[in-house]
Amino acid sequence: AFAALLGSRTTVDSGYGFTALWLSIAGVGFGFSVVPAMDGALGTLPRDRAGSGSGLLMTLRQVGAAIGIALLGSLLAGVFRDRLDVTGLPVQAADTAGDSVVAAHLIGEKAGSARLVASADSAYVHGMGVVLLVCGIAALVSALLAAAFLPRATPVPSAEGVAPDVVTPAGNARQ
């Protein structure tokens, strides 16, 4: 959440250092969260069901990624098209420029319009900022919901003189 919210502050002039910072934070965050989340989910299953559970988790991850890319990509495209300044361009060229930042650059170079190229860069970075802001808020809300509703490990009373067992969310006891 922090990395996405930080990334949403990126501007056209931010440079590689700032981008590398928030991307590195995102990478560390994913590394520390995805593996334990998958392990925790698989840990709730009996050993003989681990294969099917793993397959289901991978399917959910792939479907979620595809849906996320579609929704966030649509948001980015909409914000980019709305922010792009195509005044003075013929209707066909303006419509094509709104398709992507690359198309806007090509049309801007062909027309000799540095204003269109700058507008394309600004519109794209603004769109990515909106997408990252949405992702950061979604991640923060998800973390708060997980903290509020996921079960916690609870100590199990044990025999006198023996260290208490701890029951994990999977229901497995360990010392």
Side-chain angles (χ1 to χ4, degrees):
F2 175 73
L5 294 173
L6 185 62
S8 73
R9 308 309 316 156
T10 303
T11 66
V12 174
D13 301 321
S14 291
Y16 289 114
F18 181 70
T19 304
L21 172 69
W22 67 263
L23 282 175
S24 297
I25 294 169
V28 169
F30 276 113
F32 280 125
S33 63
V34 172
V35 173
M38 301 284 275
D39 185 52
L42 287 175
T44 63
L45 298 173
R47 289 192 188 275
D48 63 329
R49 305 286 296 167
S52 61
S54 177
L56 178 62
L57 281 174
M58 289 298 130
T59 301
L60 290 173
R61 204 173 90 180
Q62 294 293 324
V63 170
I67 291 171
I69 289 169
L71 293 175
L72 296 172
S74 295
L75 176 61
L76 173 59
V79 171
F80 173 76
R81 186 177 280 276
D82 289 345
R83 265 295 177 116
L84 185 64
D85 182 12
V86 292
T87 54
L89 288 178
V91 175
Q92 174 97 9
D95 189 46
T96 302
D99 287 344
S100 72
V101 69
V102 173
H105 271 256
L106 291 173
I107 290 172
E109 289 169 9
K110 217 178 237 188
S113 174
R115 181 188 52 76
L116 178 60
V117 171
S119 175
D121 291 345
S122 176
Y124 181 79
V125 170
H126 176 72
M128 283 302 299
V130 170
V131 166
L132 288 168
L133 183 63
V134 167
C135 289
I137 291 169
L140 188 59
V141 168
S142 297
L144 293 173
L145 288 172
F149 294 112
L150 284 179
R152 300 193 185 344
T154 55
V156 175
S158 65
E160 202 171 88
V162 177
D165 290 343
V166 174
V167 176
T168 63
N172 302 325
R174 64 181 169 152
Q175 286 195 332

